[in-house]
Amino acid sequence: MIDYQQVLEDIHTELLGIEDTGKVASYIPELASVSQDNFGIYLNRIKGDNYCVGDWDTRFSVQSISKVLSLAKALSEVGTSIWNRMDVEPSGDPFNHLSLLEMEEGIPRNPLINAGAIVVADILISELSDPKKDFLTYVRGLANDETIIYNERVAASEKATGFKNYATAYLLKSFGNLNNPVDEVLDFYFHQCALEMNCEQLSNAFYLFANRGKCMRNVPHLTLTQVKRINAIMLTCGFYDEAGEFAFEVGLPGKSGVGGGIVALLPNEYILATWAPGLNPKGNSYLGMQALERFTTKTGASIF
């Protein structure tokens, strides 16, 4: 019988002793002000009790973690036609690089890099009557939590400094892979990335990926095939050019964000969310990556 609370506390204590915990993202000004001392872990066991330690209940900007949720919504709206506009291959490049997008004529490598997520945002704008409101309602429904919000300051900060994303969107537009106006698509995209949650809320929002497509309220949102596809993309593409390392060290489907959050899951068993704002050179949470590796090693619970 595993004492999950003790496992989390041991990991938290071990990692608090590390001096160099990476650097907080500074290219989005609102994120630069977040204290690097924050570190929380929340374990959501879908068939048992939940456990937590540290700053698990402090809300943070989920950033690119939201790309999995927007992908899920888009898949439920348009089905497999989504793959006509993007691929499912790991990029091997940082999340905001443009070289592959140009070489491959406007078809993003996968939906979890910025280019792919911007195409997903374009799809949602075309499909939803009030995209920002409808997407927020969708996420709240997944997590069974009406208190989840967009952080408008973060969204405005991204809009003011997101020049690479504007370049990406215009490049997509030049290849005919963006149907709506660039400003409209990016306004939605910046708000999506500015979703604010704590570790518990994040684990709840990802519950459906561990629970065969059914959310916290036991409402089906995805088919088993769609869940399988999304989990596979998280495993191979969820950590940009560090995806192979994450699969090697941790062995779970997951997704990171430059706000310092990471969420990972073992289907039918658990969702584990961590938050520590200091990032490693690849843009993933330094302590979060370490915590997840320690958790799967100590418990022996990964997909491998």
Side-chain angles (χ1 to χ4, degrees):
M1 188 77 173
I2 298 172
D3 186 341
Y4 287 104
Q5 187 61 43
Q6 191 62 54
V7 169
L8 294 190
E9 289 178 6
D10 288 348
I11 291 170
H12 193 260
T13 300
E14 290 168 15
L15 292 177
L16 280 179
I18 294 176
E19 290 186 15
D20 182 9
T21 58
K23 296 181 179 180
V24 175
S26 59
Y27 65 92
I28 301 172
E30 275 294 321
L31 298 185
S33 62
V34 177
S35 171
Q36 193 156 329
D37 294 335
N38 290 292
F39 179 31
I41 310 172
Y42 190 92
L43 175 63
N44 184 335
R45 295 184 65 236
I46 66 174
K47 297 176 182 175
D49 295 329
N50 299 337
Y51 304 90
C52 52
V53 68
D55 302 301
W56 63 271
D57 58 347
T58 301
R59 297 188 187 217
F60 59 92
S61 182
V62 304
Q63 291 295 311
S64 286
I65 296 172
S66 68
K67 294 171 180 174
V68 181
L69 303 176
S70 62
L71 172 61
K73 180 60 175 170
L75 259 181
S76 68
E77 293 288 332
V78 302
T80 56
S81 67
I82 193 173
W83 307 124
N84 296 330
R85 298 181 60 183
M86 66 193 73
D87 211 335
V88 293
E89 293 296 329
S91 69
D93 278 346
F95 57 88
N96 59 358
H97 271 215
L98 298 178
S99 54
L100 276 175
L101 185 62
E102 186 158 21
M103 285 193 301
E104 295 173 356
E105 299 184 338
I107 300 296
R109 270 291 174 96
N110 65 71
L112 301 186
I113 56 174
N114 287 17
I118 289 170
V119 173
V120 171
D122 183 59
I123 291 169
L124 291 178
I125 286 176
S126 295
E127 296 297 322
L128 304 178
S129 58
D130 187 343
K132 285 189 287 190
K133 180 182 177 182
D134 293 346
F135 182 67
L136 183 59
T137 298
Y138 172 72
V139 175
R140 287 172 169 176
L142 293 183
N144 195 26
D145 190 331
E146 294 297 313
T147 70
I148 295 170
I149 59 169
Y150 297 122
N151 185 319
E152 294 290 347
R153 294 190 312 277
V154 172
S157 185
E158 294 196 54
K159 187 173 184 178
T161 59
F163 307 118
K164 265 281 184 74
N165 286 317
Y166 278 97
T168 301
Y170 278 111
L171 192 55
L172 288 164
K173 191 79 167 173
S174 76
F175 283 109
N177 202 8
L178 214 63
N179 297 326
N180 295 285
V182 165
D183 285 343
E184 190 178 344
V185 173
L186 288 182
D187 181 61
F188 174 78
Y189 175 71
F190 293 142
H191 275 80
Q192 166 199 312
C193 290
L195 277 170
E196 199 169 63
M197 298 187 225
N198 60 34
C199 290
E200 178 183 13
Q201 292 169 318
L202 186 57
S203 74
N204 290 343
F206 273 67
Y207 191 91
L208 80 164
F209 304 114
N211 191 44
R212 303 170 67 83
K214 293 182 179 180
C215 71
M216 289 288 294
R217 298 177 298 161
N218 208 37
V219 175
H221 289 272
L222 298 169
T223 67
L224 286 177
T225 296
Q226 289 170 334
V227 171
K228 181 176 77 170
R229 299 284 187 262
I230 292 174
N231 284 344
I233 292 169
M234 278 198 277
L235 180 68
T236 58
C237 307
F239 296 83
Y240 313 118
D241 46 335
E242 201 173 14
E245 182 72 15
F246 188 80
F248 181 73
E249 296 286 353
V250 178
L252 296 173
K255 186 72 191 82
S256 63
V258 296
I262 298 179
V263 61
L265 60 97
L266 181 62
N268 303 312
E269 295 294 334
Y270 66 77
I271 310 100
L272 188 66
T274 68
W275 176 51
L279 308 179
N280 66 20
K282 302 289 190 180
N284 298 312
S285 171
Y286 183 85
L287 291 183
M289 297 284 277
Q290 299 281 330
L292 283 155
E293 187 281 324
R294 281 168 165 76
F295 181 84
T296 55
T297 298
K298 288 175 183 288
T299 62
S302 78
I303 65 172
F304 299 115

